[in-house]
Amino acid sequence: FDPGCNWAECFISLSAELAAGLAVDGILDLERPVQHPGIDLGLVTELSELVGTVTSATQRELPLLTVRLVGILASLCSRDRGTDEDDPHRDLIEHACRRLTDDPRLDLARLARESGLSYERFRKLFRERVGISPGEYRIRRRIDRARTLLQTPDRAVKAVAEELGYPNPYAFSAQFKIVVGESPETYRQRH
């Protein structure tokens, strides 16, 4: 992720035959090769895991992985078709996601007030659209940013914790280990 960027993109290349078949089935619109599905962290995570799996897959496993990829593609395309007109809160939630990505210290109650909603209403809308609570989303964005910061060898773990708004390096390390499965120091050594 580019910390200066407010969007993410991925490319899925298909053979002409597969694309034509998906178009016939109504999954793809060949006149619209670029889709804007909004934010669905579950689909992003699933796609990321699938990409990691494909790189080490055997020839025998590839057809099954292709089917999973088509399923993700269908989900993304169906989200794109229904998001613009049907969801009056789409822009609000995408704005909230950008704010939480840009400012890991942002107070969630303040963000809800800025959005013109009670915290409970904001939290419910956020969970419905993104699939996780705003608090969990903020944690994941903090850890994503921490992964990037930890790849700079001269930056201390304590400095990373402070920059991301953790009260101390121990709280940061504990949360990092829960999300990533290893300590920040171990992660740094491997990357």
Side-chain angles (χ1 to χ4, degrees), residues 46-97:
E46 188 177 350
L47 181 60
S48 177
E49 290 171 357
L50 182 61
V51 168
T53 304
V54 167
T55 58
S56 62
T58 65
Q59 284 292 82
R60 187 174 178 188
E61 296 168 319
L62 287 177
L64 179 59
L65 296 175
T66 301
V67 170
R68 285 183 54 204
L69 178 61
V70 168
I72 293 170
L73 180 62
S75 295
L76 290 169
C77 291
S78 68
R79 283 182 54 83
D80 180 64
R81 282 187 217 108
T83 52
D84 288 333
E85 298 86 26
D86 297 345
D87 188 355
H89 300 289
R90 177 181 180 221
D91 291 340
L92 180 142
I93 298 302
E94 288 189 3
H95 174 76
C97 288

Side-chain angles (χ1 to χ4, degrees), residues 10 20 23 64-65 94 119 145 149-151 155 159 164 178 186:
C10 69
L64 179 59
L65 296 175
E94 288 189 3
Y119 177 72
R145 187 175 290 178
L149 295 173
L150 288 168
Q151 291 179 11
R155 184 172 252 156
L164 297 176
I178 288 169
T186 303

Side-chain angles (χ1 to χ4, degrees), residues 1-8 98 101-102:
F1 290 99
D2 178 359
C5 181
N6 289 327
W7 51 271
R98 282 192 298 276
T101 299
D102 293 343

Side-chain angles (χ1 to χ4, degrees), residues 39 83 87-100 106 108 111-119 121-127 129-130 134 137:
I39 298 169
T83 52
D87 188 355
H89 300 289
R90 177 181 180 221
D91 291 340
L92 180 142
I93 298 302
E94 288 189 3
H95 174 76
C97 288
R98 282 192 298 276
R99 293 282 316 277
L100 289 169
L106 186 62
L108 298 174
L111 181 58
R113 283 190 307 275
E114 289 173 4
S115 301
L117 300 170
S118 70
Y119 177 72
R121 178 74 175 135
F122 171 72
R123 191 173 129 338
K124 182 178 179 186
L125 285 171
F126 195 98
R127 181 178 279 287
R129 269 72 176 180
V130 180
Y137 185 87

